[in-house]
Amino acid sequence: MDQAIAPLPGRKSCATSSLDFHYCKEIHMSGHSPSVDYTSQRERVALARLERVPLDWRMMGILLTLGMAVLFDFADQLSLSYVAPSLRDRLGFEVSNIAQLTSATLLGMMVGGALGGRIADRFGRIRVLQGGVLLGSLGTLSFAFIQGLPEFVALRFFTGWALGALYIVAITYVIEISPPSRRSTRTAFVSFFGTTSVIVVATLARIIIPMSPDAWRWVFALGGLGLLLTIPLKFLLPESPLWLMSRGRHDDAEAALNSLDRSPEPVDVASLPLADSSGDEKEAERGKWADLFRGGLLIPTLLLMALWSFFQFAAQAMSVWFPTLLQLRGYTGEDLLNTAMIGSIGGPVGVLTMMIAMRYIHRWIAMVFVASVAIVGAVLLALAPSPEVLAIGALMMFYSGGAFVPLIDTTTGGQYPTHLRASGMGFTFGWGRMTSVLGPFVIAAILTQLGAGPFPWVLLSAWAMIALVSVLLHARRKARNPGDASEASVTHAGDRSAASDSTAV
């Protein structure tokens, strides 16, 4: 920049970068005195520039790449559930062995989510995304060659570690590069790909598994195709500008912003909220897990830990154990796969409806509505007098599992400032995985000792708790921000969002 504006107090020059220039020019023209913290206001400029980032070919390519990464992540988790009957028939696995494999996956995702988020806050989002895709794809590919339980358990843990980190950082990245007013819809867009994995895996299992006794191995082998995503992750995705700013790398943040926002027009800094950020600077100096349990973050973190625990238990129980539930009710072969495939349609439908619904209703209302649909679905599963009613109940359960994903992702990401966002999301997500590690053993014990009967009532109880915690989160937010009209707003550490989500993706 060869243009110069009057320097800010304490600064030798006001045009050291375009971020500085945008800020200084607007301050100079508006007559405002820069009495607020310079770094905090510079972050507001970045958010304002992100707000006008268009949905052009580059942004669509970024969202599609992240969506495909999430698809492979979800597909790995679901593939075990559809292959489980074949593992019991071909390798002699018991229900308790399936529980061990599921728990190993959840334990790995717990560790990966927590540590991956922390690593991403220290070293960047893109590095963790690349590593997660690479290691996760190789791990899934290796399942095709397993011969026994011990190596399978070890590989499930290793792959879960990589995919747990991948998912958390992918959602964090989407939030940080999206226009603040469109974070919910773009998170839902990426999550949509994850929920379509239910259809993809169910369809592939329906086609591949009946081909031969060992054809189930190909369901896992196809997961290796995720390696192809390392190419666009390397060359298409810029590092998160907000993360770069939180690390003091303002020139790199400017370059990343310029790759997303190519408008030459300066932003209207005078219209942005001005607030003293001295408290934020202290938080930035710490940037530790302990900060999640301090001050205003304590109660939201505890509530989110509970929310993730109940949701992951309910979602995993349905996705992993539904084929086994059908088997215990007498469904076999193609009938089992057909019923499971019909139910799986609900996931992506749920995400699509949330992309529309979040334009018009508060997020907490959507969360309670989705939980209510799941409760009705659980009742139908429990009392189903016919296969058709059973399929409808399963469709409602999968619908709720898919619809709740973007809601809980955006809710969690909106609770934390940039320098703690991945850590906060990773920790609460990881906590949910930790508490759900015991879930498969609980479900296995119920199915073994009591049969399929109590299973839907357990799911109903979990979704009832999800509805309760969602209401408590909303009440906590309204108590702290009585004038806040939308759950979509972000109020921490200089991050802000429009009062409601935009109607555009």
Side-chain angles (χ1 to χ4, degrees):
M1 276 270 176
D2 54 3
Q3 296 170 277
I5 304 294
L8 295 173
R11 300 277 173 174
K12 293 182 179 179
S13 172
C14 198
T16 56
S17 71
S18 67
L19 283 178
D20 296 347
F21 178 76
H22 278 295
Y23 173 60
C24 298
K25 181 177 180 180
E26 292 297 329
I27 291 293
H28 180 80
M29 294 177 63
S30 65
H32 280 276
S33 174
S35 58
V36 298
D37 176 70
Y38 178 69
T39 302
S40 175
Q41 188 64 5
R42 181 156 43 186
E43 185 173 359
R44 286 171 170 79
V45 172
L47 285 165
R49 293 188 64 188
L50 286 173
E51 184 63 45
R52 65 188 188 187
V53 170
L55 189 64
D56 56 11
W57 68 268
R58 179 181 175 85
M59 178 57 69
M60 183 58 70
I62 292 174
L63 295 176
L64 289 174
T65 299
L66 294 170
M68 291 301 298
V70 172
L71 187 152
F72 278 100
D73 185 317
F74 279 46
D76 171 81
Q77 301 175 54
L78 293 167
S79 59
L80 177 62
S81 65
Y82 290 96
V83 170
S86 296
L87 294 176
R88 297 181 66 189
D89 294 338
R90 297 297 300 169
L91 298 183
F93 284 12
E94 302 292 338
V95 172
S96 60
N97 299 140
I98 303 300
Q100 290 175 325
L101 292 169
T102 304
S103 291
T105 305
L106 297 176
L107 186 62
M109 297 190 77
M110 174 200 76
V111 176
L115 293 183
R118 188 71 191 125
I119 293 171
D121 278 343
R122 289 286 302 277
F123 301 104
R125 316 314 194 196
I126 297 301
R127 291 182 181 179
V128 178
L129 285 174
Q130 293 172 339
V133 167
L134 177 62
L135 297 178
S137 299
L138 290 175
T140 303
L141 179 62
S142 69
F143 300 157
F145 304 98
I146 61 103
Q147 298 297 326
L149 183 63
E151 68 266 30
F152 202 3
V153 170
L155 287 171
R156 291 297 298 184
F157 174 81
F158 170 79
T159 306
W161 197 105
L163 296 178
L166 168 63
Y167 177 73
I168 285 300
V169 179
I171 297 301
T172 300
Y173 183 79
V174 172
I175 290 174
E176 292 181 352
I177 67 165
S178 296
S181 64
R182 299 171 192 167
R183 285 176 171 175
S184 293
T185 51
R186 293 196 179 178
T187 300
F189 180 79
V190 172
S191 299
F192 170 76
F193 287 86
T195 56
T196 59
S197 65
V198 180
I199 298 177
V200 172
V201 174
T203 303
L204 289 176
R206 172 67 182 82
I207 296 172
I208 295 174
I209 291 178
M211 288 183 176
S212 70
D214 287 325
W216 57 268
R217 296 182 183 273
W218 284 101
V219 177
F220 288 133
L222 290 175
L225 293 175
L227 291 170
L228 298 176
L229 292 175
T230 57
I231 298 175
L233 283 174
K234 176 68 174 178
F235 298 105
L236 180 63
L237 277 66
E239 183 55 86
S240 163
L242 296 182
W243 176 80
L244 290 168
M245 294 186 69
S246 74
R247 305 298 292 181
R249 296 168 54 181
H250 300 298
D251 290 340
D252 293 334
E254 176 193 341
L257 276 171
N258 288 340
S259 70
L260 298 171
D261 171 33
R262 302 182 181 183
S263 173
E265 297 298 322
V267 297
D268 184 10
V269 177
S271 67
L272 301 178
L274 304 179
D276 184 5
S277 69
S278 57
D280 298 339
E281 285 189 336
K282 292 179 180 179
E283 286 189 50
E285 291 175 3
R286 294 192 299 265
K288 303 173 183 177
W289 270 323
D291 295 340
L292 303 177
F293 299 93
R294 291 173 175 160
L297 294 180
L298 172 60
I299 294 178
T301 296
L302 295 176
L303 290 174
L304 287 169
M305 289 166 62
L307 187 64
W308 275 106
S309 297
F310 289 119
F311 173 63
Q312 291 189 13
F313 173 83
Q316 286 293 327
M318 188 63 190
S319 62
V320 172
W321 291 103
F322 183 57
T324 302
L325 173 68
L326 294 176
Q327 189 179 45
L328 292 174
R329 287 193 172 184
Y331 289 79
T332 58
E334 294 186 5
D335 290 337
L336 184 154
L337 293 172
N338 286 335
T339 304
M341 186 170 62
I342 291 173
S344 67
I345 297 173
V349 172
V351 177
L352 287 176
T353 58
M354 285 304 103
M355 289 180 65
I356 299 172
M358 285 190 291
R359 303 173 185 176
Y360 306 109
I361 63 176
H362 292 228
R363 192 188 308 148
W364 76 273
I365 295 178
M367 295 168 79
V368 174
F369 169 77
V370 169
S372 300
V373 171
I375 290 172
V376 174
V379 172
L380 293 180
L381 285 181
L383 306 178
S386 66
E388 291 77 16
V389 176
L390 181 67
I392 293 174
L395 189 68
M396 297 177 72
M397 295 295 295
F398 279 110
Y399 168 88
S400 297
F404 205 77
V405 169
L407 296 174
I408 192 172
D409 284 339
T410 311
T411 297
T412 305
Q415 295 293 333
Y416 300 105
T418 300
H419 69 282
L420 283 173
R421 182 170 290 122
S423 295
M425 292 191 68
F427 183 86
T428 53
F429 170 87
W431 178 268
R433 289 298 186 192
M434 182 182 71
T435 55
S436 63
V437 165
L438 298 177
F441 294 101
V442 173
I443 298 299
I446 292 174
L447 294 177
T448 302
Q449 301 298 324
L450 303 176
F455 179 75
W457 301 111
V458 174
L459 294 179
L460 185 151
S461 300
W463 278 103
M465 293 304 299
I466 289 171
L468 175 61
V469 176
S470 298
V471 172
L472 292 176
L473 267 172
H474 169 68
R476 170 65 166 64
R477 190 179 194 91
K478 292 298 291 184
R480 289 181 60 86
N481 304 283
D484 187 10
S486 171
E487 286 294 304
S489 64
V490 180
T491 59
H492 293 286
D495 289 353
R496 69 170 182 90
S497 172
S500 61
D501 286 334
S502 168
T503 57
V505 176

